[in-house]
Amino acid sequence: MDAAGAADTLLSGACVLFTLGMFSTGLSDLKHMRMTRRVDNVQFLPFLTTDVNNLSWLSYGTLKGDGTLIVVNAVGAALQTLYISAYVHYCPRKHAVLLQTAALFGVLLLGFGYFWLLVPNTEARLQQLGLFCSVFTISMYLSPLADLAKVIQTKSTQRLSFSLTIATLLTSASWTLYGFRLRDPYIMPPL
């Protein structure tokens, strides 16, 4: 294997390792839910939005034929679906949670219908789907900034997960490098 091929393999492996590490930070929430049989202090929306994000990037990776994107997002979607299922199981207000889930997955299905049925050109579909995935991921990563205001206001980092913060930093850096390596403008900024 030449040096460029080895670098690509190493970078791809870093993306997989760091991203799966980031997704596995939800295992502590899963453990908490199972032990307490409650969803206290567990936020539902990040699981749901991450699952939709994974399914969108899985579609992009499949269309592009990128094994790294496919593996990471298939595993990520499976983990997020597990977290969602546990949350729904232990949540006392199932109706509201199921309504949010149905609404977001309805939007996802409408998006898939648009991309797969109304955009027949594969290259145009790849570009539009990539742009959608990038914008959705960036907005998803910006949402925790609301917690940052609370951190500054209370002068307490109790609301921040240190492991998730580090995992997100490493994941974002590795995907940015991967996007540069592939010259893919949709992977560079967000993942």
Side-chain angles (χ1 to χ4, degrees):
M1 180 181 291
D2 64 340
D8 289 347
T9 301
L10 185 62
L11 189 54
S12 176
C15 289
V16 171
L17 179 70
F18 292 144
T19 307
L20 295 183
M22 183 179 72
F23 292 152
S24 70
T25 60
L27 292 172
S28 61
D29 287 334
L30 181 63
K31 181 180 176 185
H32 171 77
M33 288 185 285
R34 291 195 67 215
M35 286 178 56
T36 64
R37 300 188 129 10
R38 300 174 64 129
V39 295
D40 298 338
N41 299 322
V42 176
Q43 294 182 355
F44 176 69
L45 203 53
F47 296 145
L48 185 59
T49 56
T50 304
D51 203 7
V52 169
N53 191 50
N54 287 141
L55 293 169
S56 299
W57 279 109
L58 178 60
S59 182
Y60 180 79
T62 301
L63 185 61
K64 188 174 174 125
D66 187 312
T68 302
L69 283 171
I70 292 169
V71 167
V72 163
N73 288 292
V75 173
L79 281 172
Q80 300 308 318
T81 301
L82 174 66
Y83 303 152
I84 290 168
S85 299
Y87 192 97
V88 168
H89 179 72
Y90 295 116
C91 178
R93 294 179 29 226
K94 291 180 185 3
H95 180 71
V97 170
L98 289 172
L99 193 60
Q100 285 179 326
T101 304
L104 202 50
F105 280 105
V107 169
L108 182 70
L109 287 175
L110 284 173
F112 282 161
Y114 167 77
F115 289 120
W116 295 101
L117 300 174
L118 299 177
V119 184
N121 180 321
T122 304
E123 190 57 38
R125 185 181 315 144
L126 192 61
Q127 289 175 0
Q128 289 181 23
L129 184 56
L131 182 61
F132 169 81
C133 290
S134 291
V135 169
F136 190 84
T137 302
I138 289 168
S139 64
M140 193 176 79
Y141 279 148
L142 289 177
S143 65
L145 289 179
D147 284 340
L148 188 59
K150 290 282 188 195
V151 168
I152 292 169
Q153 183 181 27
T154 62
K155 296 183 172 115
S156 169
T157 59
Q158 187 177 6
R159 294 177 63 95
L160 293 177
S161 165
F162 182 72
S163 60
L164 181 58
T165 302
I166 295 301
T168 302
L169 175 69
L170 293 172
T171 300
S172 297
S174 64
W175 281 107
T176 297
L177 292 173
Y178 187 75
F180 274 116
R181 182 76 181 142
L182 294 179
R183 290 178 173 75
D184 187 321
Y186 306 113
I187 295 175
M188 280 183 230
L191 284 173

